[in-house]
Structure formats: structure tokens, C-alpha cells
């Protein structure tokens, strides 16, 4: 399964709402899709799993949705600390684990 | 607190070997699948390998199968990645991560800070 994230880069301002897209080349088994946030020089951080479940400690301004081949991550109101790279990841299909190429969210 | 600390990276010549380690603390190590994920400079994330809590089941990406070996020592709460026949394309930060989900390998809730492997020709 190939994961394609769009857009590659987004330039937005704090306070704005943003929706990131992740499309898969085949239907993802049982909404087995996760989202991660990575800031420069840091390891990725799990945000969302099973398409729509927030990981422990993740603010509720982050939400995930989708099924089949189309998934989205929405940040309802951007905070300064949200500017980072976001990756989607599928699990449970072949190959076992694949990541999207990432979407960079930058401050306008 | 829950923590993963990688070590063992460095500069290695093409064709060489390396052993990466990941020391876990703050949780019952043997209860969890563990995984290695790498990130080439300026690139995205690539899953490398996963191992079950007992160490009996191992999974590899096609790109590394036959050259990489994942292992663990539950008595020492340590995860390892043995890398043979290193290639330039193996240059990356290697992260160890704890598998969180119900059907591993699946999702990764705890990550180490990463260890850099650089392969020179």
C-alpha cells in the first residue's frame, strides 16, 4: 500500500483551521491508520490511531477521520507549537507498516 | 518515566557492520512488541523491523531483509538491530519505538531520540 499525503507544504497562520489529507493506494484494513507529528530534531509523536482515536495527552483540537482510502487529520485552531511535519501511517496490510511522505505545516 | 534510549550509531564504511542498541525503562519491556524505524536525512519515515515480546516473531521490510537482524534481551530490557553489509542508502537516524496497539506491529506510542548511522564509501 502506498500512502500519498497532500499538500506537501502548507503555509498558515496561528488560529486557522487546517485539514491534511492522506490517500492510500488500496483500502486500509479496518481503519488501521495513524497520524504522527514530528518537529525538527525530535522523534515523531503519535497523535491519532485507528483513524480517529486521539492518543494519550493529545489536545482535542486534533481530530482524525476517514475510511477506505481517504483519511484526514484536522487541527481546529492552529497553535504556534503545531507547526511541524505530519505523517500518516497504515498498519495491518502488506507491507506491514508504511508511512506517507509527510506534509510540512509552516507559519505564514 | 517511560523511556527509550538508542546507542551504537556512527560512521561506518560501505560493506561494514554495526549493532544498534535501545535501552528501555519505565515499563514491562517483555509485554511489548518493539520496532526499529529509520529516517534518511531530510526524508520521511521508513519502517525497518519489528519483534514480538517473546522474541520469537520477527518482521522485516523488504529493503533490509537478509542484511538486518532484530533481537531483544528481555532480562536487560534491551532491543538490538544488527546491520550487515551496510550501504549508502542505510544512512539514516534509527529510532526504536514501542508498539502500542492490539495487533502488532501497528502503532508506536513511545520513541527514542534516535541514533545516527552514516555509511561512507
Amino acid at each position: 500500500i502506498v500512502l500519498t499525503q497532500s499538500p506537501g507544504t502548507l503555509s498558515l497562520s496561528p488560529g486557522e483551521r487546517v485539514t491534511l489529507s492522506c490517500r492510500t493506494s488500496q483500502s486500509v484494513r479496518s481503519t488501521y491508520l495513524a497520524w504522527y507529528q514530528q518537529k525538527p530534531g525530535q522523534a515523531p509523536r503519535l497523535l491519532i490511531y485507528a483513524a480517529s482515536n486521539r492518543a494519550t495527552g493529545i489536545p482535542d483540537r486534533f481530530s482524525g477521520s476517514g475510511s477506505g482510502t481517504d483519511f484526514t487529520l484536522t487541527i481546529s485552531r492552529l497553535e504556534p507549537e503545531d507547526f511541524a511535519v505530519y505523517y500518516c501511517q497504515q498498519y495491518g496490510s502488506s507491507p506491514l507498516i508504511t508511512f506517507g511522505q509527510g506534509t510540512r505545516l509552516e507559519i505564514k | 518515566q517511560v523511556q527509550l534510549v538508542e546507542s551504537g550509531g556512527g560512521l561506518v564504511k560501505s560493506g561494514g557492520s554495526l549493532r544498534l542498541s535501545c535501552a528501555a525503562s519505565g515499563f514491562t519491556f517483555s509485554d511489548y512488541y518493539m520496532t526499529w524505524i529509520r529516517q534518511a536525512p531530510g526524508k520521511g519515515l521508513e519502517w525497518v523491523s519489528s519483534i514480538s515480546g517473546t522474541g520469537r516473531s520477527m518482521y522485516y521490510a523488504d529493503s533490509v531483509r537478509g542484511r538486518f537482524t532484530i533481537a531483544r534481551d528481555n532480562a536487560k530490557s534491551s532491543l538490538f538491530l544488527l546491520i550487515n553489509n551496510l550501504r549508502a542508502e542505510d544512512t539514516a537516524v534509527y529510532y526504536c519505538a514501542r508498539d502500542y496497539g492490539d495487533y502488532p506491529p501497528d502503532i508506536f506510542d513511545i520513541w527514542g531520540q534516535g541514533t545516527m548511522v552514516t555509511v561512507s564509501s
Side-chain angles (χ1 to χ4, degrees):
Chain A
I1 292 184
V2 176
L3 279 64
T4 302
Q5 293 186 240
S6 60
T9 302
L10 264 175
S11 297
L12 293 168
S13 301
E16 290 194 80
R17 178 186 179 91
V18 61
T19 297
L20 309 182
S21 172
C22 177
R23 287 192 167 171
T24 63
S25 59
Q26 301 170 45
S27 185
V28 170
R29 177 183 166 191
S30 299
T31 65
Y32 285 170
L33 189 110
W35 290 92
Y36 298 83
Q37 176 194 67
Q38 187 178 32
K39 296 179 181 179
Q42 296 184 17
R45 172 193 182 197
L46 177 65
L47 298 175
I48 300 287
Y49 64 95
S52 60
N53 295 279
R54 270 189 302 277
T56 303
I58 301 304
D60 59 9
R61 65 180 181 272
F62 291 91
S63 63
S65 65
S67 63
T69 61
D70 286 291
F71 297 85
T72 59
L73 173 70
T74 299
I75 309 174
S76 60
R77 186 178 170 83
L78 282 167
E79 298 287 341
E81 62 268 26
D82 298 337
F83 291 91
V85 179
Y86 291 83
Y87 293 96
C88 58
Q89 175 227 326
Q90 71 80 26
Y91 48 100
S93 299
S94 180
L96 286 175
I97 305 286
T98 46
F99 292 90
Q101 83 282 13
T103 290
R104 181 178 306 276
L105 192 53
E106 60 181 32
I107 298 178
K108 193 171 183 180
Chain B
Q1 74 278 25
V2 177
Q3 194 173 8
L4 299 171
V5 178
E6 301 94 335
S7 60
L11 178 62
V12 185
K13 287 191 175 180
S14 181
S17 299
L18 207 56
R19 188 180 87 153
L20 306 183
S21 300
C22 172
S25 59
F27 63 100
T28 305
F29 184 68
S30 58
D31 284 349
Y32 292 86
Y33 270 65
M34 296 294 295
T35 289
W36 289 98
I37 293 164
R38 68 184 180 183
Q39 186 171 36
K43 303 296 184 183
L45 301 168
E46 180 188 14
W47 171 72
V48 172
S49 181
S50 298
I51 188 168
S52 63
T54 61
R56 292 196 201 105
S57 297
M58 293 157 285
Y59 308 87
Y60 297 95
D62 288 345
S63 59
V64 306
R65 187 176 289 112
R67 296 190 301 122
F68 288 25
T69 301
I70 192 171
R72 65 192 297 159
D73 182 340
N74 286 343
K76 296 183 178 179
S77 295
S78 294
L79 176 71
F80 305 102
L81 187 68
L82 286 70
I83 309 175
N84 291 321
N85 191 19
L86 277 155
R87 305 168 180 168
E89 56 265 34
D90 296 322
T91 293
V93 174
Y94 285 72
Y95 295 101
C96 71
R98 186 179 79 170
D99 199 296
Y100 170 72
D102 295 328
Y103 301 100
D106 46 20
I107 53 177
F108 313 108
D109 67 330
I110 304 295
W111 297 62
Q113 84 289 351
T115 188
M116 182 71 203
V117 172
T118 304
V119 183
S120 67
S121 53

